[in-house]
Amino acid sequence: MSGPTTDRENDWNPQQYDEAFDFVARHGTAVVDLLDPQPTERILDLGCGTGELTRTIDERAAAAIGVDASRSMVRTARSNAPACSFAHADAHHLPFSMKFDAVFSNAALHWMDDIERVCRAVWTALERGGRFVGELGGAGNVHGICGATQAELASRGYAMELPWTFPTIEEFATLVSTAGFELTGAWLFDRPTVLEGGDNGVARWLDMFGDELLGAVPPTERPSVVDGVETRLRSEQYSDGTWTANYRRLRFVAVRQTAERIT
Ligand SMILES: C[S@@+](CC[C@H](N)C(=O)[O-])C[C@H]1O[C@@H](n2cnc3c(N)ncnc32)[C@H](O)[C@@H]1O
């Protein structure tokens, strides 16, 4: 799956996402608690996906608006959360003329091509003193699956570059401060995650998230690549019929500085 833009309609599958990957939004409720939406606040959910967390935020805020670059995700979000508004747009070029009290983002920033540019767009969308609260994959995220896929592809003569940016706290601090924020809190932590689907957990994960990882592989060869990845991972990440992926998350709170940005 590619980091989507409005120019390049991506192939996120909202139904598969909600059925087998609902853990993403489930874990995100802790990030909503960190955001702590207030009843007077207008909040933007960046990379809102199927709108589950937009709805949770909306229940606690004056209004929550979701934005996502995938038309299919936005369509599903509109039916999942009819009380909220949703926009189909690229986070690098936010289309809003109004300002938000806070911007929230769960599990989406690492899909975006240029996180610093997105942070600049968020800065522009926020009121002075507004907060940017979220979580993304942090340094080392899903390194088991990524490493095994890289090794399997290399053994077959394919090159692979990670399609995601998983920053360290230091790298993320530089990105947000360059964009005009003060990083007031950041936590990098392991979150081992059981993959749904039993024996097929890794295959389903690669099917949902791995289009770009496996982009060089012809469709007919993919099943044997997936078998190879499983073989490489099995001793470390498979037990009693279950795959566990070594997720690592970077959770953060950043505040838009009151001074104008000097860039
Ligand atoms: C893993 S999903 C997370 C969805 C949701 N935040 C959640 O917690 O369930 C990542 C989402 O980021 C969106 N996304 C990726 N790149 C984007 C971009 N440049 N602008 C806006 N949304 C983007 C995708 O379309 C997808 O819906």
Side-chain angles (χ1 to χ4, degrees), residues 4 12 17 25 47-49 53 68-70 73 89-92 106-108 111-112:
W12 286 93
Y17 184 77
C48 62
L53 294 173
D68 201 283
S70 159
M73 288 299 220
D90 186 334
H92 299 82
N106 183 56
W111 287 98
M112 301 179 188

